[in-house]
Amino acid sequence: SPPPAHHQVYRDKRGCQPLRVNLVEKCCRTKRGIVRVLLLLDNGASPLARTDCDVLLAHLDRTRIQPIVASLRGSVGDIHLKGRFRFDPRLIFRLQRLIRREKIELVHVLEQAALPIAGRARAAGVPLIGTIYRYEGGTTPRSYLLSSLRYRVLLQGVDQITVPFENVRRALLLLYRHPHPITVISPGLLAPAKDEASSNREALGLPEGALIVMVLPPEFPTSQLLLDRAELALELLKYLIRKVPDVHLAVVGSGNFTSAMQRAAMNYRPGLPVVWCGERSEAEQWAILEQAAVYVDVASAGEVSPGLIRAALAGKPIVAPNIVSVHEVIETNVCGILVEAQNAAEFAAQIARLMQYEGLAGRLGRVAQKRAEERFSVAAQIQALTVFYEQTVYEGR
């Protein structure tokens, strides 16, 4: 049978016994087996881009990938190109000179604001990858058209696009058909080592009794959806108190989502048992998740909330809305329970069910943890990116 398309057929010295050698493995054994990748930021303002950059620098295999971090306008990374404004034309020539001087073989743009400059610096002749973390399309025909034109300009000159989730890929395909495929590379999260000193409730400021946890994102678009989700979180707690009287809700995070919940909570008399944990360090967030009986997700909308992925990696039973973005992490009745997005009574009923049947909660948590480790761990992200980098470089030679 013919070999796969990504293999080449070689024969030994006697002219027989075809040898199938993977192209990526063959190129890795050559003198230029280490790929020099430039990770390009604008000013380091995007927390998602900074997180990805830190993960890559800490965990990439330096025997295969050699990363170099540069920023166009900020002071982040090894090299600063000292741009004075966003579309400074001098940045194009400085970036081209940097690529030639450092013998860069691949440019990976982690911040969208840096894509126009990187696309116009394609004279250096190296492949260009751009990462789009979230979909920013429109809801009306006019805004949809403007978003489509914006992405056409933004992605001009980009060879490959990576996105963190499948729903972002689908939205981009509907908004703008890129000539090259859009690759999904899931973000990796690394659970810190458990600290016994900070794992007790008193140190974390948590009350005794049954505890459900929500981790809210710092950035959430202000809209009617935000108000509906904030009201949903409080309504489900009101229903849950009737079934589990000693329950408390721990809300972790600060931002417009948390502020909307706090304003809505002032309208409840008597007050609801909510613990406002505020912004916590990553280690403290994991410690609070360890104390949760059930994790409740209300923040996932167009994209998956990072708190949902953390809860899955922590092995916690999850109750979440039955929407497209959540399906990428949770399969209902297999590694979590999905309910109608606006049904607060059903949310409360399923949370009480998991608290009552610990065997069911434990089974769902274990399956969720196993699946999350396979897809959303740092090791999975690094492996996927390493193969993607090598294939992009070697196929272009």
Side-chain angles (χ1 to χ4, degrees), residues 309-364:
I309 302 176
R310 288 194 181 99
L313 287 172
K316 294 298 173 180
I318 297 170
V319 179
N322 189 8
I323 57 178
V324 175
S325 59
V326 175
H327 294 170
E328 299 188 43
V329 184
I330 301 299
E331 182 180 354
T332 184
N333 295 327
V334 175
C335 49
I337 297 178
L338 304 184
V339 299
E340 186 181 347
Q342 295 299 326
N343 195 335
E346 183 64 17
F347 262 93
Q350 295 301 334
I351 295 170
R353 176 188 172 201
L354 291 177
M355 289 182 173
Q356 181 180 2
Y357 299 102
E358 296 183 359
L360 172 63
R363 177 178 64 83
L364 293 177

Side-chain angles (χ1 to χ4, degrees), residues 138-182:
T139 55
T140 64
R142 178 182 175 83
S143 61
Y144 183 86
L145 178 61
L146 291 176
S147 297
S148 178
L149 293 175
R150 173 177 173 269
Y151 276 105
R152 289 181 183 276
V153 174
L154 191 67
L155 299 174
Q156 186 177 4
V158 176
D159 295 305
Q160 300 282 348
I161 299 175
T162 65
V163 294
F165 301 107
E166 178 64 25
N167 66 310
V168 180
R169 187 187 76 88
R170 292 175 182 174
L172 284 177
L173 287 176
L174 291 174
L175 186 69
Y176 166 63
R177 183 147 318 258
H178 192 262
H180 302 285
I182 301 175

Side-chain angles (χ1 to χ4, degrees), residues 345-388:
E346 183 64 17
F347 262 93
Q350 295 301 334
I351 295 170
R353 176 188 172 201
L354 291 177
M355 289 182 173
Q356 181 180 2
Y357 299 102
E358 296 183 359
L360 172 63
R363 177 178 64 83
L364 293 177
R366 289 191 296 271
V367 177
Q369 185 177 39
K370 180 180 179 181
R371 294 195 174 192
E373 288 175 349
E374 292 174 354
R375 181 175 178 184
F376 296 103
S377 64
V378 169
Q381 181 189 15
I382 293 300
Q383 176 63 23
L385 266 178
T386 300
V387 173
F388 183 68

Side-chain angles (χ1 to χ4, degrees), residues 73-294:
R73 294 183 294 167
S75 57
V76 182
D78 308 315
I79 302 172
H80 313 146
L81 298 182
K82 301 178 181 179
R84 293 187 177 181
F85 49 92
R86 183 174 179 180
F87 296 105
D88 191 344
R90 293 171 296 182
L91 289 174
I92 298 176
F93 303 105
R94 292 172 185 172
L95 183 57
Q96 292 175 346
R97 191 162 56 245
L98 170 65
I99 292 173
R100 288 192 293 267
R101 185 180 73 241
E102 299 293 336
K103 299 180 180 179
I104 299 297
E105 298 175 274
L106 180 68
V107 177
H108 186 180
V109 181
L110 296 176
E111 280 189 288
Q112 293 187 29
L115 280 172
I117 296 297
R120 285 157 181 75
R122 282 297 309 278
V126 299
L128 177 61
I129 299 173
T131 295
I132 306 296
Y133 288 101
R134 52 168 56 98
Y135 165 69
E136 298 176 359
T139 55
T140 64
R142 178 182 175 83
S143 61
Y144 183 86
L145 178 61
L146 291 176
S147 297
S148 178
L149 293 175
R150 173 177 173 269
Y151 276 105
R152 289 181 183 276
V153 174
L154 191 67
L155 299 174
Q156 186 177 4
V158 176
D159 295 305
Q160 300 282 348
I161 299 175
T162 65
V163 294
F165 301 107
E166 178 64 25
N167 66 310
V168 180
R169 187 187 76 88
R170 292 175 182 174
L172 284 177
L173 287 176
L174 291 174
L175 186 69
Y176 166 63
R177 183 147 318 258
H178 192 262
H180 302 285
I182 301 175
T183 305
V184 179
I185 298 180
S186 301
L189 294 176
L190 183 64
K194 294 184 179 180
D195 185 4
E196 297 296 335
S198 63
S199 294
N200 61 81
R201 293 198 174 190
E202 184 178 357
L204 295 171
L206 301 175
E208 297 296 329
L211 185 69
I212 61 175
V213 175
M214 296 178 184
V215 178
L216 303 181
E219 300 176 1
F220 199 95
T222 302
S223 62
Q224 185 60 41
L225 177 63
L226 170 67
L227 302 177
D228 293 341
R229 294 296 177 86
E231 191 66 32
L232 171 67
L234 299 174
E235 281 293 315
L236 71 87
L237 181 59
K238 186 180 71 172
Y239 284 109
L240 185 60
I241 294 173
R242 303 171 187 174
K243 302 176 182 294
V244 187
D246 64 338
V247 71
H248 285 80
L249 169 64
V251 179
V252 182
S254 64
N256 53 357
F257 202 141
T258 306
S259 300
M261 280 190 63
Q262 290 174 340
R263 289 193 299 269
M266 296 174 63
N267 299 325
Y268 285 82
R269 295 291 184 274
L272 297 175
V274 182
V275 181
W276 306 105
C277 299
E279 194 66 33
R280 298 294 185 99
S281 65
E282 190 172 343
E284 289 179 330
Q285 287 189 22
W286 286 98
I288 293 174
L289 283 174
E290 289 293 332
Q291 301 296 326
V294 178

